[in-house]
């Protein structure tokens, strides 16, 4: 962890602690807990408050729309809602029109004594203003969330596949309450492929993944809009079991979290990761059946109510297979290691996709 990353974690923890623990009262809180620390965001929890610093290059308008979606009454009981200005005065002076995030930069009046510097990022996107007095650093948007209880990764038999499917079906059946940006799934897949290419130029492991990528239609590679008849649904954009929590903690109902990729798009994309895992042998048939049956029973529109679901799922599942393999190869290059067993299964799946005859890779959803 770099010095900047360490400072971000420290400052987010201090921010969350300040909100959960009033000043000048006896503190019995434990140390802040790092929940995630990646290039696209750092997440730290203190008590019942979770603070997330998004990447400096985050589109503020799109983020505001996605946070408004999570807070919309139509999505209550489906998406975890963020904490807002009405609940926390720390949002004073936030971006105009936004009540659920603020741009944090050196000198921001978030702390009574001083504002931490590290929530300004050195990986700023072109066009973002630098923080005054800190050349090369751009503000990072910060959001605050109530704590939920995540899925227990040590108990796979209790994984809430059916509950996740029902939440997705409810999300997909809900009409968008206002205009939204596109769901970011295809764009994330394209970034994963670009990351792999940059990390492993000339590596023999790359061509099968790229060939599998080229079998996909343009919309699944983020190069064109999704087919019109499937493009207007509310989508989560990055569904996996890490995107569910029980709220209120510890045993409230399951809710979907992390709306960073949410938007309008093809709902089949939200079923694609479980479908890809099932096709690769990583998801047990009973879990896939529970997921698919629950989704259909709840009226989910991504697949037909009966019969073969693969005409709708094939393209998104292949795209998520490529994305997963590309990220695995890029991470292996960065960590100077060989792919583990699970990563190798997804890479091998790309090799199989790359050898499919053209008639089996035609987009049947358009």
């Amino acid at each position: 962890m770099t010095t900047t990353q360490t400072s971000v974690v420290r400052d987010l923890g201090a921010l969350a602690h300040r909100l959960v623990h009033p000043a000048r009262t006896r503190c019995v809180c434990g140390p802040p807990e790092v929940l995630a620390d990646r290039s696209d965001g750092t997440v730290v929890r203190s008590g019942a408050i979770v603070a997330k610093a998004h990447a400096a290059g985050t589109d503020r308008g799109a983020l505001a729309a996605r946070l408004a979606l999570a807070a919309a009454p139509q999505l209550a009981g489906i998406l975890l809602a963020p904490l807002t200005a009405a609940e926390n005065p720390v949002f004073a002076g936030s971006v105009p029109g936004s009540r659920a995030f603020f741009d944090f930069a050196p000198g921001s009046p978030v702390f009574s004594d001083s504002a931490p510097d590290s929530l300004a990022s050195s990986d700023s996107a072109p066009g973002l203003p630098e923080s005054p007095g800190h050349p090369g650093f751009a503000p990072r948007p910060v959001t605050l969330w109530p704590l939920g209880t995540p899925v227990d990764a040590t108990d796979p038999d209790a994984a809430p596949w059916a509950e996740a499917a029902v939440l997705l079906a409810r999300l997909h059946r809900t009409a968008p309450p206002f205009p939204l940006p596109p769901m970011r799934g295809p764009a994330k897949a394209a970034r994963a492929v670009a990351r792999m290419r940059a990390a492993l130029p000339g590596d023999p492991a790359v061509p099968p993944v790229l060939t599998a990528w080229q079998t996909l239609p343009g919309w699944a590679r983020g190069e064109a809009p999704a087919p019109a008849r499937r493009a207007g649904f509310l989508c989560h954009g990055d569904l996996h079991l890490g995107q569910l929590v029980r709220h209120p903690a510890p045993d409230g109902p399951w809710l979907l979290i992390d709306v960073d990729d949410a938007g309008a798009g093809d709902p089949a994309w939200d079923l694609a990761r479980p479908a890809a895992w099932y096709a690769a042998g990583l998801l047990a048939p009973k879990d896939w059946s529970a997921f698919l049956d629950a989704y259909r029973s709840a009226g989910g529109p991504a697949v037909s109510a009966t019969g073969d679901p693969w005409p709708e799922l094939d393209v998104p599942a292949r795209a998520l297979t490529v994305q997963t393999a590309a990220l695995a190869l890029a991470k292996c290059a960065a960590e100077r290691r060989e792919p583990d067993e699970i990563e190798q299964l997804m890479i091998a799946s790309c090799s199989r996709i790359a050898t499919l005859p053209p008639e089996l890779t035609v987009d049947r959803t358009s």
Side-chain angles (χ1 to χ4, degrees):
M1 185 180 293
T2 66
T3 301
T4 299
Q5 289 173 311
T6 302
S7 298
V8 169
V9 168
R10 180 197 66 216
D11 295 338
L12 283 178
L15 172 60
H17 180 260
R18 178 193 170 200
L19 296 177
V20 76
H21 179 71
R24 293 183 294 278
T25 60
R26 182 171 178 269
C27 179
V28 293
C29 302
E33 177 185 359
V34 180
L35 303 181
D37 189 18
R38 302 183 303 270
S39 60
D40 60 344
T42 302
V43 186
V44 179
R45 167 234 175 157
S46 181
I49 301 290
V50 175
K52 178 174 183 177
H54 302 254
T58 299
D59 182 319
R60 270 59 168 177
L63 178 60
R66 291 175 170 121
L67 293 170
L69 177 69
Q74 298 93 322
L75 279 304
I78 302 174
L79 299 177
L80 181 69
L83 302 176
T84 64
E87 298 159 301
N88 285 287
V90 72
F91 287 107
S94 61
V95 174
S98 170
R99 293 179 58 81
F101 80 94
F102 62 95
D103 266 325
F104 203 100
S108 296
V110 173
F111 290 88
S112 57
D113 298 324
S114 64
D117 289 353
S118 66
L119 292 179
S121 171
S122 59
D123 59 353
S124 58
L128 280 177
E130 295 179 346
S131 299
H134 292 74
F137 288 80
R140 297 178 65 173
V142 171
T143 53
L144 299 173
W145 303 84
L147 178 69
T149 302
V151 173
D152 184 355
T154 67
D155 188 6
D157 290 337
W161 286 111
E163 292 88 342
V166 171
L167 288 171
L168 284 181
R170 292 175 59 197
L171 177 70
H172 297 163
R173 291 191 344 248
T174 302
F178 40 76
L180 290 165
M183 177 266 294
R184 295 204 310 163
K188 288 189 71 174
R191 284 198 300 274
V193 171
R195 179 177 168 186
M196 174 191 67
R197 280 175 154 157
L200 293 165
D203 192 285
V206 170
V209 181
L210 290 181
T211 302
W213 179 244
Q214 292 302 322
T215 69
L216 298 168
W219 72 266
R221 300 196 304 264
E223 298 171 359
R229 71 182 183 87
R230 300 183 62 81
F233 294 87
L234 276 184
C235 300
H236 181 273
D238 188 28
L239 189 279
H240 52 81
L241 290 182
Q243 306 288 35
L244 283 89
V245 298
R246 287 188 179 276
H247 179 74
D251 53 9
W254 289 108
L255 297 172
L256 295 171
I257 64 170
D258 191 356
V259 293
D260 287 12
D261 302 311
D266 181 354
W269 202 276
D270 285 341
L271 280 65
R273 184 175 272 109
W277 288 352
Y278 169 66
L282 295 175
L283 184 64
K286 67 179 180 63
D287 291 329
W288 169 245
S289 295
F291 178 81
L292 183 61
D293 292 348
Y295 183 83
R296 284 173 154 168
S297 296
V303 295
S304 57
T306 59
D308 184 5
W310 288 99
E312 294 87 5
L313 295 180
D314 176 62
V315 167
R318 282 191 280 131
L320 262 293
T321 300
V322 172
Q323 176 182 325
T324 305
L327 284 177
L329 286 171
K331 289 178 180 177
C332 288
E335 297 167 6
R336 299 180 182 275
R337 61 174 177 83
E338 294 297 314
D340 62 27
E341 182 179 0
I342 292 175
E343 292 167 335
Q344 190 56 56
L345 280 172
M346 300 308 290
I347 295 166
S349 292
C350 286
S351 296
R352 290 194 295 273
I353 292 170
T355 61
L356 289 175
E359 62 269 20
L360 296 182
T361 62
V362 174
D363 182 7
R364 292 175 284 177
T365 64
S366 56

CSV table of all heavy atoms in Angstrom, one decimal, residues 77-78 151 157-171 239 241 243-246 252-256 287 290-295 298:
chain,number,residue,atom,x,y,z
A,77,GLY,N,-36.2,-1.2,-0.5
A,77,GLY,CA,-36.3,-2.6,-0.4
A,77,GLY,C,-35.5,-3.4,-1.5
A,77,GLY,O,-35.5,-4.6,-1.5
A,78,ILE,N,-34.9,-2.6,-2.4
A,78,ILE,CA,-34.1,-3.3,-3.5
A,78,ILE,C,-32.6,-2.8,-3.4
A,78,ILE,O,-31.7,-3.6,-3.4
A,78,ILE,CB,-34.7,-3.0,-4.9
A,78,ILE,CG1,-36.1,-3.4,-5.0
A,78,ILE,CG2,-33.8,-3.6,-6.0
A,78,ILE,CD1,-36.8,-3.0,-6.3
A,151,VAL,N,-22.5,-11.0,2.7
A,151,VAL,CA,-22.6,-12.5,2.6
A,151,VAL,C,-21.4,-13.1,3.3
A,151,VAL,O,-20.3,-12.7,3.1
A,151,VAL,CB,-22.7,-12.8,1.1
A,151,VAL,CG1,-22.7,-14.4,0.9
A,151,VAL,CG2,-24.0,-12.3,0.5
A,157,ASP,N,-22.8,-22.8,1.2
A,157,ASP,CA,-24.1,-23.4,1.2
A,157,ASP,C,-25.2,-22.5,1.6
A,157,ASP,O,-26.4,-22.7,1.2
A,157,ASP,CB,-24.1,-24.7,2.1
A,157,ASP,CG,-23.3,-25.8,1.6
A,157,ASP,OD1,-23.0,-25.8,0.4
A,157,ASP,OD2,-22.8,-26.6,2.4
A,158,ALA,N,-24.9,-21.4,2.3
A,158,ALA,CA,-25.9,-20.4,2.7
A,158,ALA,C,-25.9,-19.2,1.7
A,158,ALA,O,-26.6,-18.2,2.0
A,158,ALA,CB,-25.6,-20.0,4.1
A,159,ALA,N,-25.2,-19.3,0.6
A,159,ALA,CA,-25.1,-18.1,-0.3
A,159,ALA,C,-26.5,-17.8,-0.8
A,159,ALA,O,-27.3,-18.7,-1.3
A,159,ALA,CB,-24.2,-18.5,-1.5
A,160,PRO,N,-26.9,-16.5,-0.7
A,160,PRO,CA,-28.3,-16.1,-1.1
A,160,PRO,C,-28.5,-16.0,-2.6
A,160,PRO,O,-28.9,-14.9,-3.0
A,160,PRO,CB,-28.5,-14.8,-0.3
A,160,PRO,CG,-27.1,-14.2,-0.3
A,160,PRO,CD,-26.2,-15.4,-0.2
A,161,TRP,N,-28.3,-17.0,-3.4
A,161,TRP,CA,-28.5,-16.9,-4.8
A,161,TRP,C,-30.0,-16.6,-5.2
A,161,TRP,O,-30.2,-15.7,-6.0
A,161,TRP,CB,-28.1,-18.2,-5.5
A,161,TRP,CG,-26.6,-18.3,-5.5
A,161,TRP,CD1,-25.8,-19.2,-4.9
A,161,TRP,CD2,-25.7,-17.5,-6.3
A,161,TRP,NE1,-24.5,-19.0,-5.2
A,161,TRP,CE2,-24.4,-18.0,-6.1
A,161,TRP,CE3,-25.8,-16.5,-7.2
A,161,TRP,CZ2,-23.2,-17.5,-6.7
A,161,TRP,CZ3,-24.7,-15.9,-7.8
A,161,TRP,CH2,-23.4,-16.4,-7.5
A,162,ALA,N,-30.9,-17.3,-4.5
A,162,ALA,CA,-32.3,-17.0,-4.8
A,162,ALA,C,-32.7,-15.6,-4.4
A,162,ALA,O,-33.4,-14.9,-5.2
A,162,ALA,CB,-33.2,-18.0,-4.1
A,163,GLU,N,-32.3,-15.1,-3.3
A,163,GLU,CA,-32.6,-13.8,-2.8
A,163,GLU,C,-32.0,-12.7,-3.8
A,163,GLU,O,-32.7,-11.7,-4.1
A,163,GLU,CB,-32.1,-13.6,-1.4
A,163,GLU,CG,-32.8,-14.4,-0.3
A,163,GLU,CD,-32.2,-15.8,-0.2
A,163,GLU,OE1,-31.4,-16.2,-1.1
A,163,GLU,OE2,-32.4,-16.4,0.9
A,164,ALA,N,-30.8,-13.0,-4.2
A,164,ALA,CA,-30.2,-12.0,-5.2
A,164,ALA,C,-31.0,-12.0,-6.5
A,164,ALA,O,-31.2,-10.9,-7.1
A,164,ALA,CB,-28.7,-12.5,-5.5
A,165,ALA,N,-31.5,-13.1,-6.9
A,165,ALA,CA,-32.2,-13.2,-8.2
A,165,ALA,C,-33.6,-12.4,-8.0
A,165,ALA,O,-34.0,-11.7,-9.0
A,165,ALA,CB,-32.5,-14.7,-8.5
A,166,VAL,N,-34.2,-12.6,-6.9
A,166,VAL,CA,-35.5,-11.9,-6.7
A,166,VAL,C,-35.2,-10.3,-6.7
A,166,VAL,O,-36.0,-9.6,-7.3
A,166,VAL,CB,-36.1,-12.3,-5.4
A,166,VAL,CG1,-37.3,-11.4,-5.0
A,166,VAL,CG2,-36.6,-13.8,-5.5
A,167,LEU,N,-34.2,-9.9,-6.0
A,167,LEU,CA,-33.8,-8.5,-6.0
A,167,LEU,C,-33.6,-8.0,-7.4
A,167,LEU,O,-34.1,-6.9,-7.8
A,167,LEU,CB,-32.6,-8.2,-5.1
A,167,LEU,CG,-32.9,-8.3,-3.6
A,167,LEU,CD1,-31.5,-8.3,-2.9
A,167,LEU,CD2,-33.8,-7.2,-3.1
A,168,LEU,N,-32.9,-8.8,-8.2
A,168,LEU,CA,-32.6,-8.4,-9.6
A,168,LEU,C,-33.9,-8.3,-10.4
A,168,LEU,O,-34.1,-7.4,-11.2
A,168,LEU,CB,-31.7,-9.4,-10.3
A,168,LEU,CG,-30.2,-9.3,-9.9
A,168,LEU,CD1,-29.4,-10.3,-10.7
A,168,LEU,CD2,-29.6,-7.9,-10.2
A,169,ALA,N,-34.8,-9.3,-10.2
A,169,ALA,CA,-36.1,-9.3,-11.0
A,169,ALA,C,-36.9,-8.0,-10.6
A,169,ALA,O,-37.5,-7.4,-11.5
A,169,ALA,CB,-36.8,-10.5,-10.7
A,170,ARG,N,-36.9,-7.7,-9.3
A,170,ARG,CA,-37.6,-6.5,-8.9
A,170,ARG,C,-37.0,-5.2,-9.5
A,170,ARG,O,-37.7,-4.3,-9.9
A,170,ARG,CB,-37.7,-6.4,-7.4
A,170,ARG,CG,-38.5,-7.5,-6.7
A,170,ARG,CD,-38.4,-7.4,-5.2
A,170,ARG,NE,-38.9,-6.1,-4.7
A,170,ARG,CZ,-38.6,-5.7,-3.5
A,170,ARG,NH1,-37.8,-6.4,-2.7
A,170,ARG,NH2,-39.0,-4.5,-3.1
A,171,LEU,N,-35.7,-5.2,-9.5
A,171,LEU,CA,-35.0,-4.0,-10.1
A,171,LEU,C,-35.3,-3.9,-11.6
A,171,LEU,O,-35.6,-2.8,-12.1
A,171,LEU,CB,-33.5,-4.2,-9.9
A,171,LEU,CG,-32.6,-3.1,-10.5
A,171,LEU,CD1,-32.7,-1.8,-9.8
A,171,LEU,CD2,-31.1,-3.6,-10.5
A,239,LEU,N,-23.3,-7.4,-10.8
A,239,LEU,CA,-23.8,-8.3,-9.8
A,239,LEU,C,-22.9,-9.5,-9.5
A,239,LEU,O,-22.4,-10.2,-10.4
A,239,LEU,CB,-25.2,-8.9,-10.4
A,239,LEU,CG,-26.1,-9.7,-9.4
A,239,LEU,CD1,-25.6,-11.1,-9.2
A,239,LEU,CD2,-26.2,-9.0,-8.0
A,241,LEU,N,-22.1,-11.8,-5.4
A,241,LEU,CA,-22.6,-11.9,-4.1
A,241,LEU,C,-22.0,-10.9,-3.1
A,241,LEU,O,-22.5,-10.6,-2.0
A,241,LEU,CB,-22.4,-13.3,-3.5
A,241,LEU,CG,-23.2,-14.4,-4.1
A,241,LEU,CD1,-22.9,-15.8,-3.5
A,241,LEU,CD2,-24.7,-14.1,-4.1
A,243,GLN,N,-22.1,-7.9,-3.6
A,243,GLN,CA,-23.0,-6.8,-3.8
A,243,GLN,C,-24.3,-6.9,-3.0
A,243,GLN,O,-25.2,-6.1,-3.3
A,243,GLN,CB,-23.3,-6.5,-5.3
A,243,GLN,CG,-22.0,-6.5,-6.2
A,243,GLN,CD,-21.3,-5.2,-6.0
A,243,GLN,OE1,-21.2,-4.6,-4.9
A,243,GLN,NE2,-20.7,-4.7,-7.1
A,244,LEU,N,-24.3,-7.7,-2.0
A,244,LEU,CA,-25.5,-7.9,-1.2
A,244,LEU,C,-25.1,-7.7,0.3
A,244,LEU,O,-24.1,-8.2,0.7
A,244,LEU,CB,-26.1,-9.3,-1.4
A,244,LEU,CG,-27.0,-9.5,-2.6
A,244,LEU,CD1,-26.1,-10.0,-3.7
A,244,LEU,CD2,-28.1,-10.5,-2.4
A,245,VAL,N,-26.0,-7.0,1.0
A,245,VAL,CA,-25.8,-6.9,2.4
A,245,VAL,C,-27.2,-7.0,3.1
A,245,VAL,O,-28.2,-6.7,2.4
A,245,VAL,CB,-25.2,-5.6,2.9
A,245,VAL,CG1,-23.8,-5.4,2.3
A,245,VAL,CG2,-26.0,-4.4,2.5
A,246,ARG,N,-27.2,-7.4,4.3
A,246,ARG,CA,-28.4,-7.3,5.1
A,246,ARG,C,-28.5,-6.0,5.8
A,246,ARG,O,-27.5,-5.6,6.5
A,246,ARG,CB,-28.5,-8.4,6.2
A,246,ARG,CG,-28.7,-9.8,5.6
A,246,ARG,CD,-29.0,-10.8,6.7
A,246,ARG,NE,-29.2,-12.2,6.3
A,246,ARG,CZ,-30.4,-12.6,5.9
A,246,ARG,NH1,-31.5,-11.8,6.0
A,246,ARG,NH2,-30.6,-13.9,5.6
A,252,GLY,N,-31.3,-7.9,8.9
A,252,GLY,CA,-32.3,-7.3,8.1
A,252,GLY,C,-32.5,-8.0,6.7
A,252,GLY,O,-31.7,-8.9,6.4
A,253,PRO,N,-33.4,-7.5,5.9
A,253,PRO,CA,-33.5,-8.1,4.6
A,253,PRO,C,-32.3,-7.8,3.7
A,253,PRO,O,-31.6,-6.8,3.9
A,253,PRO,CB,-34.7,-7.4,4.0
A,253,PRO,CG,-34.8,-6.1,4.7
A,253,PRO,CD,-34.3,-6.4,6.1
A,254,TRP,N,-32.1,-8.7,2.7
A,254,TRP,CA,-31.0,-8.5,1.7
A,254,TRP,C,-31.3,-7.3,0.8
A,254,TRP,O,-32.4,-7.1,0.4
A,254,TRP,CB,-30.8,-9.7,0.9
A,254,TRP,CG,-30.2,-10.9,1.6
A,254,TRP,CD1,-30.9,-12.0,2.0
A,254,TRP,CD2,-28.9,-11.1,2.0
A,254,TRP,NE1,-30.1,-12.9,2.6
A,254,TRP,CE2,-28.8,-12.3,2.7
A,254,TRP,CE3,-27.7,-10.3,2.0
A,254,TRP,CZ2,-27.6,-12.8,3.2
A,254,TRP,CZ3,-26.6,-10.7,2.5
A,254,TRP,CH2,-26.5,-12.0,3.2
A,255,LEU,N,-30.3,-6.5,0.5
A,255,LEU,CA,-30.4,-5.4,-0.4
A,255,LEU,C,-29.1,-5.4,-1.3
A,255,LEU,O,-28.1,-5.9,-0.9
A,255,LEU,CB,-30.4,-4.0,0.4
A,255,LEU,CG,-31.6,-3.8,1.3
A,255,LEU,CD1,-31.3,-2.5,2.1
A,255,LEU,CD2,-32.9,-3.7,0.5
A,256,LEU,N,-29.3,-4.8,-2.5
A,256,LEU,CA,-28.2,-4.7,-3.4
A,256,LEU,C,-27.4,-3.4,-3.1
A,256,LEU,O,-28.0,-2.4,-2.7
A,256,LEU,CB,-28.7,-4.6,-4.9
A,256,LEU,CG,-29.3,-5.8,-5.4
A,256,LEU,CD1,-30.0,-5.5,-6.8
A,256,LEU,CD2,-28.3,-7.0,-5.6
A,287,ASP,N,-27.2,-24.4,-7.4
A,287,ASP,CA,-27.2,-22.9,-7.2
A,287,ASP,C,-27.6,-22.2,-8.4
A,287,ASP,O,-28.4,-21.2,-8.3
A,287,ASP,CB,-25.8,-22.5,-6.7
A,287,ASP,CG,-25.4,-23.0,-5.4
A,287,ASP,OD1,-26.3,-23.2,-4.5
A,287,ASP,OD2,-24.2,-23.2,-5.1
A,290,ALA,N,-31.4,-22.6,-8.6
A,290,ALA,CA,-32.1,-21.8,-7.6
A,290,ALA,C,-32.1,-20.3,-8.0
A,290,ALA,O,-33.1,-19.6,-7.9
A,290,ALA,CB,-31.4,-21.9,-6.3
A,291,PHE,N,-31.0,-19.8,-8.6
A,291,PHE,CA,-30.9,-18.4,-9.0
A,291,PHE,C,-31.9,-18.2,-10.2
A,291,PHE,O,-32.7,-17.3,-10.2
A,291,PHE,CB,-29.5,-18.2,-9.4
A,291,PHE,CG,-29.2,-16.8,-10.0
A,291,PHE,CD1,-29.1,-15.7,-9.1
A,291,PHE,CD2,-29.2,-16.6,-11.4
A,291,PHE,CE1,-28.8,-14.4,-9.6
A,291,PHE,CE2,-28.9,-15.3,-11.9
A,291,PHE,CZ,-28.8,-14.2,-11.0
A,292,LEU,N,-31.8,-19.0,-11.2
A,292,LEU,CA,-32.6,-18.9,-12.4
A,292,LEU,C,-34.1,-19.0,-12.1
A,292,LEU,O,-34.9,-18.2,-12.6
A,292,LEU,CB,-32.2,-19.8,-13.5
A,292,LEU,CG,-32.9,-19.7,-14.9
A,292,LEU,CD1,-32.7,-18.4,-15.5
A,292,LEU,CD2,-32.4,-20.8,-15.8
A,293,ASP,N,-34.4,-20.1,-11.3
A,293,ASP,CA,-35.8,-20.3,-11.0
A,293,ASP,C,-36.4,-19.2,-10.2
A,293,ASP,O,-37.6,-18.8,-10.5
A,293,ASP,CB,-36.0,-21.6,-10.3
A,293,ASP,CG,-35.7,-22.9,-11.1
A,293,ASP,OD1,-35.6,-22.7,-12.4
A,293,ASP,OD2,-35.5,-24.0,-10.6
A,294,ALA,N,-35.7,-18.6,-9.3
A,294,ALA,CA,-36.2,-17.5,-8.4
A,294,ALA,C,-36.4,-16.3,-9.3
A,294,ALA,O,-37.4,-15.6,-9.1
A,294,ALA,CB,-35.2,-17.2,-7.3
A,295,TYR,N,-35.4,-16.0,-10.2
A,295,TYR,CA,-35.6,-14.9,-11.1
A,295,TYR,C,-36.8,-15.0,-12.0
A,295,TYR,O,-37.6,-14.0,-12.1
A,295,TYR,CB,-34.3,-14.8,-12.0
A,295,TYR,CG,-34.3,-13.5,-12.9
A,295,TYR,CD1,-33.9,-12.3,-12.4
A,295,TYR,CD2,-34.8,-13.6,-14.2
A,295,TYR,CE1,-34.0,-11.2,-13.2
A,295,TYR,CE2,-34.8,-12.5,-15.0
A,295,TYR,CZ,-34.4,-11.3,-14.5
A,295,TYR,OH,-34.4,-10.2,-15.3
A,298,ALA,N,-40.1,-14.5,-10.0
A,298,ALA,CA,-40.3,-13.2,-9.6
A,298,ALA,C,-40.6,-12.3,-10.8
A,298,ALA,O,-40.7,-11.0,-10.7
A,298,ALA,CB,-39.1,-12.6,-8.9
